[in-house]
Amino acid sequence: LLYWAWKWYEPLTGPRKVAGSVFWGVLYGILGLEVWCLLMAPFIDPYAGEPWSRSAFGLRIFTATLIVPVFEELFIRGYLYKAGFQWGEARKTMPGRRALNHVLEAMHIQTVPPGAWSAAALITGTLFFCAGHLMIEWLAAAAYFLLLSILWIRRKEMLSCMVAHGTTNFGLALYVYLTGQWGFW
């Protein structure tokens, strides 16, 4: 599905070098891992939950590192966030529901420049990102989405956000597996 829909997404890289995207993605991913764990810790029992088998760990780390970051970043930041941006812009010239109807009827997310942001975009993206997580993860998910939004705004491209997301998920999987604190995932 991602491959088929690729023509509708923006290029993953931006005006800067790919090596910089990877560097900043890894850096923000490590910072995101720390934010996630710090904000999750008060709400969970880290030693609750079942250990994974080796095959379950392998599958989980593969999907969490390579599939989930691409899908979530393209769908949430690449589509819903941009729809929120367009809705926020339309609300400046149209009253309430008419602005939302306008965006839904004539949505052209490709016209939203990379790195663009607004309060409506941040709120829309954060709400949808949180909706994809468990309720006890909402605070961590909201903070994490906003952290990666800063990266999106600074780098003006999706690749660094995908790398950051993948780095965080990989780091979290390793942390949970090596420490036995299954409650974090």
Side-chain angles (χ1 to χ4, degrees), residues 2-43:
L2 285 173
Y3 179 76
W4 174 79
W6 204 261
K7 60 187 168 204
W8 291 298
Y9 293 111
E10 67 184 58
L12 297 183
T13 58
R16 300 183 180 142
K17 294 183 179 184
V18 171
S21 299
V22 172
F23 172 79
W24 286 105
V26 169
L27 191 67
Y28 271 71
I30 293 168
L31 179 60
L33 174 61
E34 293 175 16
V35 166
W36 188 271
C37 289
L38 285 171
L39 293 176
M40 283 289 296
F43 301 104

Short mmCIF file of all heavy atoms in Angstrom, two decimals, residues 2-43:
data_model
loop_
_atom_site.label_atom_id
_atom_site.label_comp_id
_atom_site.label_asym_id
_atom_site.label_seq_id
_atom_site.Cartn_x
_atom_site.Cartn_y
_atom_site.Cartn_z
N LEU A 2 1.93 1.25 0.85
CA LEU A 2 2.84 2.40 0.87
C LEU A 2 3.53 2.59 -0.48
O LEU A 2 3.66 3.70 -0.98
CB LEU A 2 3.90 2.23 1.96
CG LEU A 2 3.44 2.45 3.39
CD1 LEU A 2 4.56 2.07 4.35
CD2 LEU A 2 3.02 3.87 3.62
N TYR A 3 3.95 1.50 -1.09
CA TYR A 3 4.62 1.57 -2.38
C TYR A 3 3.67 2.09 -3.45
O TYR A 3 4.02 2.94 -4.26
CB TYR A 3 5.18 0.19 -2.76
CG TYR A 3 5.86 0.19 -4.11
CD1 TYR A 3 7.13 0.74 -4.25
CD2 TYR A 3 5.23 -0.35 -5.21
CE1 TYR A 3 7.75 0.76 -5.48
CE2 TYR A 3 5.84 -0.33 -6.45
CZ TYR A 3 7.10 0.22 -6.58
OH TYR A 3 7.72 0.24 -7.79
N TRP A 4 2.45 1.59 -3.45
CA TRP A 4 1.45 2.00 -4.43
C TRP A 4 1.12 3.48 -4.31
O TRP A 4 0.95 4.18 -5.30
CB TRP A 4 0.19 1.15 -4.25
CG TRP A 4 -0.95 1.59 -5.11
CD1 TRP A 4 -1.14 1.32 -6.43
CD2 TRP A 4 -2.05 2.39 -4.71
NE1 TRP A 4 -2.30 1.91 -6.87
CE2 TRP A 4 -2.88 2.58 -5.83
CE3 TRP A 4 -2.43 2.98 -3.50
CZ2 TRP A 4 -4.05 3.31 -5.79
CZ3 TRP A 4 -3.60 3.70 -3.46
CH2 TRP A 4 -4.40 3.86 -4.59
N ALA A 5 1.04 4.00 -3.09
CA ALA A 5 0.65 5.39 -2.85
C ALA A 5 1.83 6.36 -2.91
O ALA A 5 1.64 7.55 -2.71
CB ALA A 5 -0.06 5.50 -1.51
N TRP A 6 3.02 5.85 -3.18
CA TRP A 6 4.22 6.68 -3.11
C TRP A 6 4.14 7.93 -3.98
O TRP A 6 4.66 8.99 -3.62
CB TRP A 6 5.44 5.85 -3.51
CG TRP A 6 6.69 6.40 -2.96
CD1 TRP A 6 7.60 7.19 -3.59
CD2 TRP A 6 7.17 6.23 -1.63
NE1 TRP A 6 8.62 7.51 -2.73
CE2 TRP A 6 8.38 6.92 -1.52
CE3 TRP A 6 6.69 5.55 -0.51
CZ2 TRP A 6 9.10 6.96 -0.35
CZ3 TRP A 6 7.42 5.58 0.64
CH2 TRP A 6 8.61 6.29 0.71
N LYS A 7 3.49 7.85 -5.11
CA LYS A 7 3.43 9.00 -6.03
C LYS A 7 2.74 10.22 -5.43
O LYS A 7 2.92 11.32 -5.90
CB LYS A 7 2.76 8.58 -7.34
CG LYS A 7 1.35 8.09 -7.17
CD LYS A 7 0.81 7.53 -8.48
CE LYS A 7 -0.49 6.80 -8.19
NZ LYS A 7 -0.78 5.81 -9.17
N TRP A 8 1.93 10.00 -4.39
CA TRP A 8 1.21 11.12 -3.77
C TRP A 8 1.98 11.77 -2.64
O TRP A 8 1.58 12.80 -2.13
CB TRP A 8 -0.16 10.68 -3.28
CG TRP A 8 -1.08 10.37 -4.42
CD1 TRP A 8 -1.51 11.22 -5.39
CD2 TRP A 8 -1.65 9.12 -4.71
NE1 TRP A 8 -2.33 10.57 -6.26
CE2 TRP A 8 -2.44 9.27 -5.88
CE3 TRP A 8 -1.59 7.85 -4.11
CZ2 TRP A 8 -3.15 8.23 -6.44
CZ3 TRP A 8 -2.31 6.83 -4.68
CH2 TRP A 8 -3.08 7.02 -5.82
N TYR A 9 3.05 11.15 -2.21
CA TYR A 9 3.82 11.71 -1.11
C TYR A 9 4.93 12.60 -1.64
O TYR A 9 5.40 12.45 -2.76
CB TYR A 9 4.42 10.59 -0.25
CG TYR A 9 3.39 9.80 0.48
CD1 TYR A 9 3.12 8.49 0.15
CD2 TYR A 9 2.65 10.37 1.51
CE1 TYR A 9 2.16 7.76 0.82
CE2 TYR A 9 1.68 9.66 2.18
CZ TYR A 9 1.45 8.36 1.84
OH TYR A 9 0.49 7.65 2.50
N GLU A 10 5.35 13.49 -0.78
CA GLU A 10 6.45 14.37 -1.13
C GLU A 10 7.76 13.60 -1.11
O GLU A 10 7.84 12.52 -0.51
CB GLU A 10 6.51 15.53 -0.15
CG GLU A 10 6.91 15.07 1.24
CD GLU A 10 6.87 16.21 2.21
OE1 GLU A 10 5.82 16.83 2.36
OE2 GLU A 10 7.91 16.47 2.82
N PRO A 11 8.79 14.13 -1.71
CA PRO A 11 10.10 13.48 -1.60
C PRO A 11 10.53 13.40 -0.13
O PRO A 11 10.23 14.28 0.66
CB PRO A 11 11.03 14.41 -2.38
CG PRO A 11 10.13 15.24 -3.23
CD PRO A 11 8.82 15.33 -2.52
N LEU A 12 11.21 12.33 0.21
CA LEU A 12 11.62 12.14 1.59
C LEU A 12 12.75 13.07 1.99
O LEU A 12 12.88 13.44 3.15
CB LEU A 12 12.04 10.69 1.83
CG LEU A 12 10.96 9.65 1.63
CD1 LEU A 12 11.49 8.27 1.97
CD2 LEU A 12 9.73 9.97 2.45
N THR A 13 13.60 13.40 1.05
CA THR A 13 14.74 14.26 1.36
C THR A 13 14.39 15.70 1.03
O THR A 13 13.49 15.98 0.25
CB THR A 13 15.99 13.83 0.57
OG1 THR A 13 15.69 13.87 -0.83
CG2 THR A 13 16.42 12.43 0.96
N GLY A 14 15.14 16.60 1.63
CA GLY A 14 14.88 18.02 1.44
C GLY A 14 16.07 18.73 0.85
O GLY A 14 16.89 18.14 0.15
N PRO A 15 16.22 20.00 1.20
CA PRO A 15 17.27 20.82 0.61
C PRO A 15 18.67 20.50 1.16
O PRO A 15 19.66 20.94 0.59
CB PRO A 15 16.86 22.25 0.99
CG PRO A 15 16.03 22.09 2.23
CD PRO A 15 15.34 20.77 2.07
N ARG A 16 18.75 19.74 2.22
CA ARG A 16 20.05 19.45 2.84
C ARG A 16 20.50 18.03 2.53
O ARG A 16 19.76 17.23 1.98
CB ARG A 16 19.95 19.68 4.34
CG ARG A 16 19.57 21.12 4.65
CD ARG A 16 19.55 21.34 6.13
NE ARG A 16 19.19 22.72 6.40
CZ ARG A 16 18.41 23.08 7.40
NH1 ARG A 16 17.93 22.18 8.22
NH2 ARG A 16 18.13 24.34 7.59
N LYS A 17 21.73 17.71 2.92
CA LYS A 17 22.31 16.41 2.62
C LYS A 17 21.66 15.28 3.41
O LYS A 17 21.25 15.46 4.56
CB LYS A 17 23.81 16.43 2.91
CG LYS A 17 24.56 17.37 2.00
CD LYS A 17 26.05 17.30 2.26
CE LYS A 17 26.75 18.26 1.29
NZ LYS A 17 28.18 18.19 1.41
N VAL A 18 21.61 14.10 2.79
CA VAL A 18 21.02 12.92 3.41
C VAL A 18 21.78 12.54 4.67
O VAL A 18 21.18 12.15 5.68
CB VAL A 18 20.97 11.74 2.41
CG1 VAL A 18 20.57 10.45 3.09
CG2 VAL A 18 20.01 12.07 1.27
N ALA A 19 23.11 12.67 4.66
CA ALA A 19 23.90 12.34 5.84
C ALA A 19 23.47 13.19 7.04
O ALA A 19 23.43 12.70 8.17
CB ALA A 19 25.39 12.54 5.56
N GLY A 20 23.15 14.44 6.80
CA GLY A 20 22.64 15.31 7.87
C GLY A 20 21.29 14.84 8.37
O GLY A 20 21.01 14.89 9.57
N SER A 21 20.44 14.37 7.45
CA SER A 21 19.13 13.85 7.84
C SER A 21 19.29 12.64 8.76
O SER A 21 18.59 12.52 9.77
CB SER A 21 18.33 13.45 6.61
OG SER A 21 18.12 14.55 5.77
N VAL A 22 20.22 11.76 8.40
CA VAL A 22 20.46 10.58 9.22
C VAL A 22 21.05 10.98 10.57
O VAL A 22 20.60 10.50 11.62
CB VAL A 22 21.36 9.57 8.47
CG1 VAL A 22 21.78 8.43 9.38
CG2 VAL A 22 20.66 9.05 7.22
N PHE A 23 22.02 11.87 10.56
CA PHE A 23 22.64 12.32 11.81
C PHE A 23 21.61 12.92 12.76
O PHE A 23 21.50 12.52 13.91
CB PHE A 23 23.75 13.34 11.53
CG PHE A 23 24.30 13.98 12.77
CD1 PHE A 23 25.22 13.31 13.57
CD2 PHE A 23 23.88 15.25 13.16
CE1 PHE A 23 25.71 13.89 14.73
CE2 PHE A 23 24.37 15.84 14.32
CZ PHE A 23 25.29 15.16 15.10
N TRP A 24 20.84 13.90 12.27
CA TRP A 24 19.85 14.56 13.11
C TRP A 24 18.73 13.60 13.49
O TRP A 24 18.18 13.69 14.60
CB TRP A 24 19.30 15.81 12.43
CG TRP A 24 20.31 16.92 12.47
CD1 TRP A 24 21.07 17.37 11.43
CD2 TRP A 24 20.70 17.67 13.62
NE1 TRP A 24 21.90 18.36 11.86
CE2 TRP A 24 21.70 18.57 13.21
CE3 TRP A 24 20.32 17.67 14.94
CZ2 TRP A 24 22.31 19.47 14.07
CZ3 TRP A 24 20.93 18.57 15.82
CH2 TRP A 24 21.91 19.46 15.37
N GLY A 25 18.38 12.68 12.59
CA GLY A 25 17.37 11.69 12.91
C GLY A 25 17.80 10.79 14.07
O GLY A 25 17.03 10.54 14.99
N VAL A 26 19.04 10.32 14.02
CA VAL A 26 19.54 9.47 15.10
C VAL A 26 19.61 10.27 16.40
O VAL A 26 19.20 9.78 17.47
CB VAL A 26 20.92 8.86 14.74
CG1 VAL A 26 21.58 8.21 15.95
CG2 VAL A 26 20.77 7.87 13.60
N LEU A 27 20.09 11.50 16.34
CA LEU A 27 20.19 12.34 17.54
C LEU A 27 18.82 12.58 18.17
O LEU A 27 18.64 12.39 19.37
CB LEU A 27 20.87 13.66 17.19
CG LEU A 27 21.29 14.54 18.35
CD1 LEU A 27 22.42 13.87 19.13
CD2 LEU A 27 21.77 15.89 17.82
N TYR A 28 17.85 12.98 17.36
CA TYR A 28 16.49 13.20 17.87
C TYR A 28 15.85 11.89 18.31
O TYR A 28 15.04 11.86 19.23
CB TYR A 28 15.62 13.89 16.81
CG TYR A 28 15.67 15.40 16.87
CD1 TYR A 28 16.80 16.10 16.48
CD2 TYR A 28 14.58 16.12 17.31
CE1 TYR A 28 16.85 17.48 16.52
CE2 TYR A 28 14.60 17.51 17.34
CZ TYR A 28 15.74 18.18 16.96
OH TYR A 28 15.78 19.55 17.00
N GLY A 29 16.20 10.79 17.64
CA GLY A 29 15.67 9.49 18.04
C GLY A 29 16.13 9.08 19.43
O GLY A 29 15.35 8.57 20.23
N ILE A 30 17.40 9.33 19.73
CA ILE A 30 17.92 9.03 21.07
C ILE A 30 17.27 9.95 22.10
O ILE A 30 16.86 9.49 23.18
CB ILE A 30 19.46 9.15 21.08
CG1 ILE A 30 20.06 8.05 20.21
CG2 ILE A 30 20.00 9.10 22.50
CD1 ILE A 30 21.54 8.23 19.91
N LEU A 31 17.15 11.22 21.78
CA LEU A 31 16.47 12.16 22.67
C LEU A 31 15.01 11.75 22.86
O LEU A 31 14.47 11.78 23.98
CB LEU A 31 16.56 13.58 22.12
CG LEU A 31 15.87 14.68 22.93
CD1 LEU A 31 16.46 14.77 24.33
CD2 LEU A 31 16.00 16.02 22.19
N GLY A 32 14.36 11.32 21.79
CA GLY A 32 12.98 10.86 21.86
C GLY A 32 12.81 9.63 22.73
O GLY A 32 11.83 9.51 23.46
N LEU A 33 13.79 8.73 22.70
CA LEU A 33 13.76 7.55 23.56
C LEU A 33 13.80 7.96 25.03
O LEU A 33 13.04 7.44 25.85
CB LEU A 33 14.94 6.63 23.24
CG LEU A 33 15.13 5.41 24.14
CD1 LEU A 33 13.93 4.50 24.10
CD2 LEU A 33 16.41 4.68 23.75
N GLU A 34 14.64 8.92 25.34
CA GLU A 34 14.72 9.42 26.72
C GLU A 34 13.42 10.08 27.14
O GLU A 34 12.92 9.85 28.24
CB GLU A 34 15.89 10.38 26.86
CG GLU A 34 17.25 9.72 26.70
CD GLU A 34 18.41 10.70 26.71
OE1 GLU A 34 18.21 11.86 27.13
OE2 GLU A 34 19.50 10.30 26.28
N VAL A 35 12.86 10.91 26.27
CA VAL A 35 11.58 11.58 26.57
C VAL A 35 10.49 10.54 26.78
O VAL A 35 9.72 10.61 27.75
CB VAL A 35 11.21 12.56 25.43
CG1 VAL A 35 9.75 13.00 25.52
CG2 VAL A 35 12.15 13.75 25.41
N TRP A 36 10.41 9.56 25.89
CA TRP A 36 9.38 8.53 25.97
C TRP A 36 9.48 7.78 27.30
O TRP A 36 8.47 7.63 28.00
CB TRP A 36 9.52 7.56 24.80
CG TRP A 36 8.40 6.58 24.72
CD1 TRP A 36 8.32 5.36 25.33
CD2 TRP A 36 7.17 6.74 24.01
NE1 TRP A 36 7.13 4.75 25.03
CE2 TRP A 36 6.41 5.57 24.22
CE3 TRP A 36 6.66 7.76 23.20
CZ2 TRP A 36 5.15 5.41 23.66
CZ3 TRP A 36 5.41 7.57 22.64
CH2 TRP A 36 4.66 6.42 22.87
N CYS A 37 10.66 7.32 27.64
CA CYS A 37 10.83 6.53 28.88
C CYS A 37 10.56 7.37 30.13
O CYS A 37 9.91 6.89 31.06
CB CYS A 37 12.23 5.92 28.94
SG CYS A 37 12.46 4.59 27.74
N LEU A 38 11.03 8.61 30.14
CA LEU A 38 10.79 9.47 31.31
C LEU A 38 9.30 9.77 31.51
O LEU A 38 8.82 9.79 32.64
CB LEU A 38 11.56 10.79 31.18
CG LEU A 38 13.06 10.72 31.42
CD1 LEU A 38 13.74 12.03 31.05
CD2 LEU A 38 13.35 10.37 32.87
N LEU A 39 8.59 9.98 30.43
CA LEU A 39 7.17 10.31 30.55
C LEU A 39 6.28 9.08 30.73
O LEU A 39 5.16 9.19 31.23
CB LEU A 39 6.70 11.13 29.34
CG LEU A 39 7.32 12.53 29.25
CD1 LEU A 39 6.88 13.23 27.98
CD2 LEU A 39 6.98 13.36 30.48
N MET A 40 6.78 7.92 30.36
CA MET A 40 6.02 6.68 30.56
C MET A 40 6.21 6.12 31.96
O MET A 40 5.30 5.49 32.51
CB MET A 40 6.46 5.62 29.54
CG MET A 40 5.92 5.82 28.15
SD MET A 40 4.17 5.49 28.03
CE MET A 40 4.12 3.76 28.43
N ALA A 41 7.38 6.31 32.54
CA ALA A 41 7.75 5.67 33.81
C ALA A 41 6.72 5.86 34.93
O ALA A 41 6.42 4.89 35.64
CB ALA A 41 9.13 6.14 34.25
N PRO A 42 6.15 7.05 35.11
CA PRO A 42 5.18 7.20 36.22
C PRO A 42 3.88 6.42 36.04
O PRO A 42 3.15 6.21 37.00
CB PRO A 42 4.89 8.69 36.25
CG PRO A 42 5.95 9.35 35.46
CD PRO A 42 6.44 8.34 34.48
N PHE A 43 3.58 5.98 34.82
CA PHE A 43 2.29 5.39 34.53
C PHE A 43 2.30 3.87 34.39
O PHE A 43 1.26 3.26 34.18
CB PHE A 43 1.71 5.99 33.24
CG PHE A 43 1.53 7.48 33.34
CD1 PHE A 43 2.41 8.34 32.70
CD2 PHE A 43 0.49 8.02 34.08
CE1 PHE A 43 2.26 9.71 32.80
CE2 PHE A 43 0.33 9.39 34.18
CZ PHE A 43 1.22 10.24 33.54
#
